[in-house]
Amino acid sequence: MSSNGSDEYGTGGTSLLGNAVPRREDLNLLRGKGGYVANVPMEGALHAHFVRSNVSHGEIISVETSEAEKMPGVFAIYTAENLDLADRAVILNAYEAEMTRPYLAREKVRFVGEPVAVVLAENEYLAADAAENIWVDIEPLSALVDLEEAVAGEVLLFPNLDSNIVTEIPRRKPIDFSDCEVVVEAEIINSKVAAVSIEPRVTLASFENGRLTCWASNQGAHDYRDSVAQALEMEIKDVRVIITDIGGGFGAKGLASEEEIIIAHLSRMHEKPVRWMESRTENLTGFAHGRAQKQKVKMGGNLNGEITHYSLEVIQDSGAYPKWGAVLPGSTLMMASGVYRIPNVEFSSRSVATTTAPVCAYRGAGRPEATSVIERTVDLFAREIAMDPAEVRRLNFPSPDEFPFKNSTGTVYDSGDYKKALDEALGAIDYEALRNEQSRRREENERLQLGIGISTYVEVTAGGGGSEFGLVELKDDGTFRATTGSTPIGTGHVTTWAMLVADRLGVPMEKVEVIYGDTDVVPSGEMTGGSRSVQVSGSSMADASEKLVDAARKVVADLLEASEEDIVLNKESGNFHVVGTPAVSVSWGELASSPKADQKQLIGKSDFLQEGATFPFGAHIVIAEVDIETGEAKIKRIVAVDDAGKIVNPLLATGQVHGGLAQGVAQALLEEVLYDNDGNPQTANLMDYTAISAMEVPSFDRISMETPTPLNSIGAKGIGESGTIGSTAATQNAVVDAISYLGVDHLDMPLTPQKIWSAISDKSEVRA
Amino acid sequence: MISETYSLLVNGKSYQVVDGHPSESLLWVLRERLELSGSKNACEEGECGSCTVLVDGEIVCSCLVLAASAVGREITTIEGLGSEDEISDVQKAFVDAGAVQCGFCTPGLLVAIDQLLNTDPDPDDLTVREAISGNLCRCTGYGRILEAVRIASKNRKVQNQEEQGK
């Protein structure tokens, strides 16, 4: 089961599905020939550079551009005064129009990094030089960084509204804890982090003959096209978006950003190509952040370990202008009670505006926040009643025969076996032996103390709904063209879709070409996100393939002068024949060249819509060592049991899980976006924002469980985000567990050596 | 504006840089003037390693090196690994291990790992982790990359033994 060797991958029998098939995307990427936007050649393109606010909140007195306009190579400079672009429509229906972000700051700035002006010049160096000579005079107003102060509303970001609350989910029914034998309470910060795709935001726009073409690094070509068309008030047919390769998304690249729309607008305005790529500092301060919740939690139950009551109150930081972040608590609500059968649950949330960069979706988006708080609180509850945390979890799981299981906030989980997942993980680490070792180290007062952190999770995937376009065609030469509406974001869609099509058609996957990411070629498509791709887009490919088989059977029936119902496809050979007489057969190649086959008939088209979300689950266990002299925590090992239904390609699924686990460990131990009290970013580059490296990741042991979902023909649920959802809490629990014997109940993420050391020394002083 | 013409030796081939400004970074010159766009720009502050190249066999972040300072030195970029027809053993190991996801950090990692295995054919786990700690990858969690290094290292060992046996 170890992921460190290649021998973990079993064979999936005669079908390709379930096998570790190497990716066909890799060859170009390995040679440095990826189709990233910055590699797209374009003669005569202008380069854009944004001038950004260095004040978190203030009134714009003046923006002086005359000096910069005279500088060499400068083509044009725009501010809110002359940009001539109407404000964006409210997105996600989530806030008052008053809170809409102007494309370039108008009258006020509301976060450090907010664009105030944009320079177009012959190259990026000249554009940057000119930007340095634009003088922005800002009269500072009070910053607003603290979430409680944002709720209190003494400082208002939008004074025409009387509150900083962007949107809220009110508590439906208060629950009464008075009968509980045990109640634990905590205030927990789910820290603010940054997605840090290695490729920052980048775009190229070119307007020619009345049509606009945008090369984008985004999670959805069609979504991006629609955003641009709407903003520029253009017909959708006049906008083309091309996405070939993208250097990471992680949720943050899920909506066309203001800067990207400005670039498209300026290209159209001047009928010239315009390029823009943000710097890493712009990426870390001016783009989007994730998580950022303050959580007040209360859990009640009895001394036998039964959890009966759970209350969660969330303040979500939305940043200066609402984006996806404002609605994250909606996902937190769905998963609030986690994997437990808790009869009484209450939830409320308020999303507030602050003078910090907007908060967006980041891997998991609302679900890791739900898992972290309940998993942390279950540990507090277990500690309070002196019961083993694994045992408390076991006692409160619904059993497999209770599925579909409706949790107390109304979410229906499709299938699951939570106890099995936990027991697999506990077995893999030899839990009892580790607890004994932990006791020994404590008794002997060793410097390196052991911590074992458990997190059992359930999450929702493909929760956003939406269908997906899929088209599979037989070409003249007997090969196949498969067109998908989904946009790959480094996730191996091309390989996976070729596998699925090949499986359904009974042909080698080399015969299947996969087309994606160009809105002129692909009629429609949904954004990649929420772990939907394999289950929705993959199913659309499988469905389209099956429809092509049906279309082919009609033609074969004609060729073999048989009834259509009697024609079968032998998937081993890829030949059609009349049932019972395999000796007389028609191959796909023969079909392609047959004069009887009208090529237009030989297609299969799908717009697959899944009848609801799926609910992957699992158990992650982290083993940590904490040096009580220095406060340094090291993660020794992670065992991850993940059940995301049927796995199409374990090589790719493992990669997804590993990436997610690392991002969870990163938030728990290292990474945090910080602002000072005046709203100045303290983590504006990769020296200060400590993105996780190979030195800090532990070894991963992945144990795959496969409980198929009935909601699609593949049986797949999503796996892209579960790694993050489980591992964040498991890591935090492990570190706290290591030092809990010193009297430490809880520490907020990230668990830096300084924070751990301070907690230990505070307790030592108390003891002394 | 000061400008000059100089030549750079990249992957064994001499390239003329015409009217180059002395302040241009090696990364910028490789990408924008020499059309060698395999090395990536992701932070321009020497923290992410996406622009990793070798200068006289030493690993550098090409975003922090002035192109003009590399005159007369041997520069190796991702385009210098493998051949037109065949990818290198490390590249092959990346495919087999599933070590590529979005691919943006991949060229820098490949250059770093190739250099590591050239100087230390049998590195232990900590050595490998240290060697690639300057190359950030956001997709893989490094698990499959570490596996790719193990595969490449093992294959080189087997190959060396076979060659010695001949």
Side-chain angles (χ1 to χ4, degrees), chain A residues 98 156-163:
Chain A
E98 177 78 16
L156 290 173
L157 256 69
F158 303 91
N160 288 340
L161 304 172
D162 57 2
S163 146

Side-chain angles (χ1 to χ4, degrees), chain B residues 61-80:
Chain B
C61 288
S62 61
C63 70
L64 296 185
V65 174
L66 291 177
S69 76
V71 171
R73 303 169 75 182
E74 268 184 52
I75 301 159
T76 308
T77 69
I78 182 64
E79 288 86 356

Side-chain angles (χ1 to χ4, degrees), chain A residues 330-411:
Chain A
S331 298
T332 310
L333 162 66
M334 282 186 82
M335 322 309 307
S337 56
V339 285
Y340 307 110
R341 192 198 308 100
I342 307 176
N344 306 293
V345 177
E346 61 175 26
F347 178 93
S348 66
S349 72
R350 286 167 294 184
S351 300
V352 294
T354 59
T355 57
T356 62
V359 172
C360 195
Y362 169 55
R363 202 171 199 160
R367 291 111 81 200
E369 295 88 327
T371 301
S372 283
V373 63
I374 195 163
E375 290 304 291
R376 195 73 272 290
T377 310
V378 168
D379 269 22
L380 290 173
F381 183 83
R383 185 165 157 77
E384 187 67 24
I385 59 172
M387 189 180 266
D388 186 285
E391 191 51 33
V392 172
R393 284 175 170 82
R394 257 196 222 103
L395 279 171
N396 291 283
F397 291 147
S399 64
D401 57 19
E402 288 177 64
F403 287 85
F405 176 80
K406 188 172 180 179
N407 75 11
S408 291
T409 57
T411 309

Side-chain angles (χ1 to χ4, degrees), chain A residues 3-4 23 30-31 36 39 124 194-196 198 277 280 490 655 658-659 663 671 685-687 692 694 697, chain B residues 28 31 38 41-42 45 47 50 78 83-84 91 95 100-104 129 138-142 144 147:
Chain A
S3 61
N4 294 330
R23 301 195 335 164
L30 287 162
R31 289 187 151 117
Y36 307 102
N39 291 357
E124 61 260 54
V196 199
I198 301 298
M277 178 164 160
R280 184 55 67 184
H658 285 184
Q663 287 182 7
E671 297 180 15
N685 57 47
L686 290 174
M687 276 164 270
I692 194 163
V697 293
Chain B
W28 197 80
R31 288 185 54 86
N41 177 7
E45 55 198 20
E47 284 293 318
S50 303
I78 182 64
S83 64
E84 282 285 309
Q91 286 167 319
V95 178
V100 184
Q101 285 188 36
C102 84
F104 207 76
R129 286 171 186 265
R138 204 60 171 167
C139 295
T140 64
Y142 307 99
R144 305 310 297 173
E147 171 66 6

